Each structure stands twice: as structure tokens, then as C-alpha cells.
Amino acid sequence: MEPKPARVRIVDAAHELMGSIGLARTTTKEIARAAGCSEAALYKYFPSKEELFVTVLKERLPKLGGLLDGLVPGEGGLEANLTEAARQAALFYEQTFPMAASLYAEPQLKSRHEQGMRELGTGPHKPIQGLDAYLRAEQRAGRVRADADTYAAASLLLGACAQRAFAYDALPGGTPSQPLDAFAASLARTLLAGIS
């Protein structure tokens, strides 16, 4: 079997380390060591740890951003689209929460990370903006009430998914009280009751 290219090994190692010890405690030196390359080789592919984190989000986790960008008003049905968005968001936040939560314990690192994300033109606000844009398009097409606050609706749906990822770790057994598919469908239905 042919060895994986260095870039793939680096992203794999970053995903593993960020998921197991958190973003704050993962260093580029540890990532390079786990990938079997030098830190200089890592920087050849990724100029910053933030860019590597964004790559892990895009290439190794459920496709939340791509899903939201691909929602087409009037196609697939509003409830089905929101259910799938909720399902993917719940999976995405379930995997990213353990990675990023450690940043909140180190304010300087969090500030540096946020600056890096701004420079890359990304961050946690992007999914909300994407879902808001989709809901506004559905609003213009008449499938969402004209007086509905689409930004608030997007924030509610994605916020509930993020909260699920945060809260279920505290439950006995670490499992949510509602299975993922039931949660996503119920969330979409409830949200639609208020905006359609």
C-alpha cells in the first residue's frame, strides 16, 4: 500500500489531536510529529494552525457549510431542507465542540484564533449567514412568512444544534434523550410552525 501524501497525513493528525486534546492544547509540533514530518513541512502546506483547523472542519467533518450553500429555495421542500440542515449541524457541532471548547479557557489564545479566523474570512457566524440567506430566499418565494425574522430563525436552529452538542455530554451515559433524526425533524417542524 502506498503511503499517504504529507498533506493528508497532516490533516489526519490534526483532526485526531484536535478531537482528542482540543485545539488549544494541540501544537503544530505535535501535529507534525504525529504526521511523521517536520514542522517546516507542515508550514509548507498550512501557514497557520487556524488554517489547518479550517481545513479539518472542511475536509474531515460533516459538511455544514457546503450543505447550506447548496440549499436551493423551492427544491426538496422547506421542511426537508431544514431537517437536513439541523441533522448536519448537530453532527458538525458534536464533533467541533470538543475541539474548540478548550479555546475558552485561554483568552489570549482565543483572541489569536479569532483574529486568524477573521483573516481567513470564516468563523462560526458563517453557517448562520448561510441559513439566513436561504430562508430569505424562501421568504421572497412566499414559503416563509413576510414578517418572519430569518436571521433569528437561522440562529435558533443552529443554536439548538450547538446546544445539543454542549448539553448531551452532561447527561447520564453521555447520550441525547432524543435520537439525531428525531431531533432534527422535530426542530425543523417547530421552527416552521413559527415562520411559515
Side-chain angles (χ1 to χ4, degrees):
M1 185 163 99
E2 197 171 310
K4 292 180 182 178
R7 184 189 181 283
V8 173
R9 292 192 324 267
I10 291 167
V11 176
D12 285 347
H15 179 218
E16 175 65 31
L17 286 166
M18 289 174 182
S20 62
I21 63 173
L23 182 60
R25 291 181 44 208
T26 300
T27 65
T28 54
K29 186 175 187 172
E30 290 170 324
I31 294 168
R33 184 176 32 244
C37 67
S38 68
E39 209 171 351
L42 182 147
Y43 283 116
K44 174 182 165 192
Y45 295 100
F46 302 99
S48 68
K49 187 167 89 170
E50 287 72 28
E51 190 165 319
L52 183 51
F53 176 62
V54 169
T55 300
V56 167
L57 295 180
K58 287 180 179 176
E59 295 182 11
R60 297 296 186 270
L61 300 182
K63 305 294 184 235
L64 180 58
L67 169 73
L68 295 176
D69 294 340
L71 289 176
V72 179
E75 285 187 16
L78 184 55
E79 185 173 341
N81 287 343
L82 290 177
T83 298
E84 186 57 18
R87 191 177 161 299
Q88 291 300 321
L91 288 169
F92 178 80
Y93 292 127
E94 180 181 306
Q95 292 182 38
T96 57
F97 187 77
M99 291 180 185
S102 60
L103 289 173
Y104 290 88
E106 300 183 36
Q108 287 181 327
L109 182 59
K110 181 177 177 282
S111 178
R112 194 178 79 228
H113 175 75
E114 289 169 349
Q115 179 60 36
M117 298 299 269
R118 278 191 293 278
E119 289 169 7
L120 291 169
T122 191
H125 62 288
K126 289 295 191 178
I128 296 171
Q129 290 174 343
L131 187 54
D132 175 42
Y134 166 71
L135 289 172
R136 278 186 282 115
E138 290 284 15
Q139 192 175 47
R140 287 189 297 276
R143 289 180 286 275
V144 169
R145 267 193 1 244
D147 66 341
D149 183 336
T150 57
Y151 188 83
S155 298
L156 287 167
L157 185 136
L158 295 174
C161 294
Q163 178 61 23
R164 182 178 193 267
F166 172 76
Y168 86 77
D169 280 341
L171 294 172
T175 29
S177 57
Q178 193 176 31
L180 176 62
D181 290 340
F183 167 80
S186 178
L187 183 57
R189 252 191 328 275
T190 302
L191 185 66
L192 279 175
I195 65 171
S196 66

